[in-house]
Amino acid sequence: NGGYDALYAHTGDEGRAVARRLQPDLILIDVHMPGNEDGFQTAMRLRNEEETKSIPISLLSSADLRLEAEQAAKQMGIEYMHKSIEEAPFLERVKKLLGE
C-alpha cells in the first residue's frame, strides 16, 4: 500500500458519501463496479459536488478505455490507470496525483 491508508466503498453512492464525509487526499475508482452507476458517472458526480470537486481522482480499469473516454476523463481532470500497472509505477502515479 506504499504507506497510505485506504478506505473502501462498494458502490458509487457509498463512495461519494465517504468522500464527502472524510475528505480523502485521493480517490481511486474502478470503472466497473456494482450499483446503479459506473466509475465515470461517479467521478463526474464527485467533480460536480462542492465538497469533493478538488480531490484528485483516478479511474482504474482492467479493460483499455476508448481513446475518447480517456481524453474526456483527462479534460475533467481525472486520471486513468490500467489495473495491470506494476506497483512501483502505480505508487509513482499516486505520489504525482498527491503532489508529493
Side-chain angles (χ1 to χ4, degrees), residues 6-57:
L7 306 167
Y8 298 92
H10 297 286
T11 66
D13 289 336
E14 184 182 328
R16 285 192 328 280
V18 168
R20 284 190 302 270
R21 190 175 76 245
L22 299 177
Q23 294 292 298
D25 296 321
L26 172 65
I27 299 171
L28 302 174
I29 305 172
D30 195 327
V31 171
H32 302 289
M33 59 183 166
N36 58 353
E37 63 187 33
D38 65 19
F40 278 104
Q41 293 165 320
T42 299
M44 288 190 314
R45 290 180 73 183
L46 287 163
R47 277 288 168 259
N48 290 321
E49 294 179 9
E50 190 63 35
E51 303 94 339
T52 57
K53 68 181 182 182
S54 63
I55 300 172
I57 297 172

Side-chain angles (χ1 to χ4, degrees), residues 2 4-5 24-27 55-57 79 91-100:
Y4 298 104
D5 293 326
D25 296 321
L26 172 65
I27 299 171
I55 300 172
I57 297 172
E79 294 289 323
L91 290 174
E92 284 302 315
R93 300 259 317 255
V94 165
K95 287 179 184 180
K96 181 181 173 190
L97 288 165
L98 292 172
E100 296 179 355

